[in-house]
Amino acid sequence: MTRRIGILGGTFDPIHCGHVDVGLAAQATLELQRVFVVTSNVPPHRPQPFASAYHRFAMTSFAVAGREGWRASDLELRVHTPSYTSDTLHRFQERGYAATELYFVVGADAFTDIGSWRDYPSILDLANFAVVSRPGYPVDELPHRLPRLESRMVRPPADSLTALEPVIFLIDAETADVSSTAIRRKLAARESIAGLVPPGVQQHIEQHGLYSAMPPGRRASDAPEPSAAGRLHGQD
Ligand code: ATP
Ligand code: MG
């Protein structure tokens, strides 16, 4: 039996409805049996996320709850080295999945930068890529933007669902016009984020005062040692 395993990676700071829409579009179009939502570990030399890895993982758990086949994966959080997508794909292969069984799900904005990813171009042989449109980033533009990759791009449904070599699927879908940056800005301005994140995620953010207690621009790593005052302000 052919297995079709989706992997949706991101910093998820926080996870939002756009991310969920991307996963759902890929799952429905490519008939994925699993969608692993993999929270990234950000290397120390890069700007750190605003919420801790623990909170970001907790939020992905709320986002996958009740979704058939979806799983929150801590794969990249269990290692303390930078998480590169190519390492993650290798780890899935070590678990017994063939490259043609894996579908790395990514928005069209992020995929446009694929040339700068570690292990490009060999990374394209480690999994299929399922590139989903994002408002302002239609997948139609990708063959033109990435002409060298045009020959690998296919539109589902395609016979290539059972291809012998990994390919790049281009998927047009309506996804929420929202970003993590916009959500953090709203929270810092004490504006509502209802409808922009799954309800469980909204509740977690509110319950812990995530993003609102920190002035914009201040990162979790800049926070002082936990103190009673810090805890009161939801920094734990
Ligand atoms: P930030 O504002 O911090 O960059 P983001 O909302 O863009 O956050 P990321 O963690 O950067 O989210 O993105 C993770 C993945 O989800 C990327 O592949 C990105 O292209 C995709 N993605 C995020 N939001 C959307 C959206 N609204 N529609 C389609 N794809 C999206
Ligand atoms: Mg982004």
Side-chain angles (χ1 to χ4, degrees), residues 60 64 74 77 119 136 159 170 190 205:
T60 62
V64 305
D74 65 353
L77 299 177
D119 295 329
D159 300 341
L170 303 185
R190 303 272 195 267
I205 290 172

Side-chain angles (χ1 to χ4, degrees), residues 43-205:
H45 60 276
R46 298 266 305 277
Q48 291 300 296
F50 291 79
S52 70
Y54 301 103
H55 278 306
R56 290 184 292 115
F57 181 78
M59 292 187 280
T60 62
S61 302
F62 281 115
V64 305
R67 293 185 199 284
E68 177 89 38
W70 286 50
R71 301 285 184 270
S73 168
D74 65 353
L75 186 82
E76 293 190 1
L77 299 177
R78 276 187 278 118
V79 288
H80 293 286
T81 48
S83 37
Y84 293 105
T85 298
S86 59
D87 298 330
T88 301
L89 296 176
H90 279 299
R91 276 194 214 114
F92 272 91
Q93 293 191 4
E94 282 161 16
R95 291 173 171 194
Y97 295 110
T100 50
E101 294 179 318
L102 299 173
Y103 294 77
F104 189 77
V105 182
V106 59
D109 61 316
F111 189 74
T112 307
D113 297 329
I114 186 82
S116 67
W117 291 22
R118 165 153 308 196
D119 295 329
Y120 176 85
S122 61
I123 190 172
L124 295 167
D125 298 323
L126 297 179
N128 296 287
F129 280 70
V131 187
V132 182
S133 56
R134 181 173 187 160
Y137 298 88
V139 289
D140 281 348
E141 287 178 4
L142 287 173
H144 170 69
R145 282 180 184 252
L146 301 167
R148 283 199 205 161
L149 302 184
E150 188 175 357
S151 61
R152 301 177 75 123
M153 294 181 185
V154 296
R155 293 261 185 185
D159 300 341
S160 34
L161 274 174
T162 51
L164 297 174
E165 300 288 332
V167 296
I168 301 166
F169 289 101
L170 303 185
I171 300 171
D172 263 318
E174 293 253 339
T175 65
D177 191 3
V178 60
S179 68
S180 299
T181 304
I183 289 169
R184 292 192 303 267
R185 289 210 179 110
K186 280 184 181 289
L187 287 162
R190 303 272 195 267
E191 289 171 27
S192 168
I193 56 160
L196 302 180
V197 298
V201 174
Q202 183 181 350
Q203 194 174 44
H204 185 87
I205 290 172

